[in-house]
Amino acid sequence: MTALTSIARNIEDIESLGGLRGTDIANITDVSKATVSRWRTGAIKPRPRNELILSDLHYVVRRLQDYYTSEEIRTWLYARHPQLGGERAFDLINAERTIEVLRVLDRLDSDGYL
């Protein structure tokens, strides 16, 4: 499996499992919607920073899938959370602070609630 195939699959999962759209992915990676479309088709490869963001977003969406529907996941990613100091998971992932989001998910796994 090539990196492009993996990226395309991750984008597909992010959209289908996380309820996100190409526009959402473009916003979190600070690129145009057309660029996301080119990533999806394999026409271009994301820069390393965006590849990391996509990978982190994919991992977070997969973790949230155990607890929420795709529509709820999208809302969860955009909502401000007290457990994140009032910040949004989407912004933290963009700022390469995914570890903070994962700590909240670890608490959820430990039967905490969000």
Side-chain angles (χ1 to χ4, degrees):
M1 169 172 30
T2 67
L4 292 176
T5 302
S6 176
I7 290 164
R9 184 169 295 143
N10 283 353
I11 290 171
E12 183 179 298
D13 283 352
I14 290 166
E15 291 174 336
S16 65
L17 303 175
L20 299 171
R21 300 174 194 88
T23 304
D24 299 314
I25 296 168
N27 288 339
I28 196 171
T29 55
D30 293 323
V31 300
S32 70
K33 187 176 168 186
T35 297
V36 173
S37 180
R38 286 189 213 101
W39 292 343
R40 187 182 294 109
T41 63
I44 62 172
K45 182 178 177 178
R47 292 191 172 143
R49 180 182 187 282
N50 285 332
E51 204 166 346
L52 175 65
I53 291 170
L54 288 171
S55 176
D56 284 356
L57 181 59
H58 181 256
Y59 183 71
V60 169
V61 164
R62 288 293 220 173
R63 294 268 314 263
L64 288 168
Q65 177 188 14
D66 292 338
Y67 302 99
Y68 302 112
T69 66
S70 60
E71 183 178 308
E72 291 169 332
I73 290 171
R74 185 175 189 276
T75 300
W76 193 95
L77 291 167
Y78 273 106
R80 294 192 179 277
H81 294 279
Q83 300 89 350
L84 295 172
E87 294 188 73
R88 301 178 319 155
F90 222 61
D91 295 330
L92 294 175
I93 294 168
N94 174 276
E96 299 180 39
R97 294 169 51 199
T98 305
I99 194 71
E100 296 171 49
V101 177
L102 296 177
R103 286 184 191 128
V104 172
L105 296 179
D106 288 343
R107 288 194 298 270
L108 182 62
D109 289 342
S110 299
D111 295 322
Y113 67 92
L114 302 179

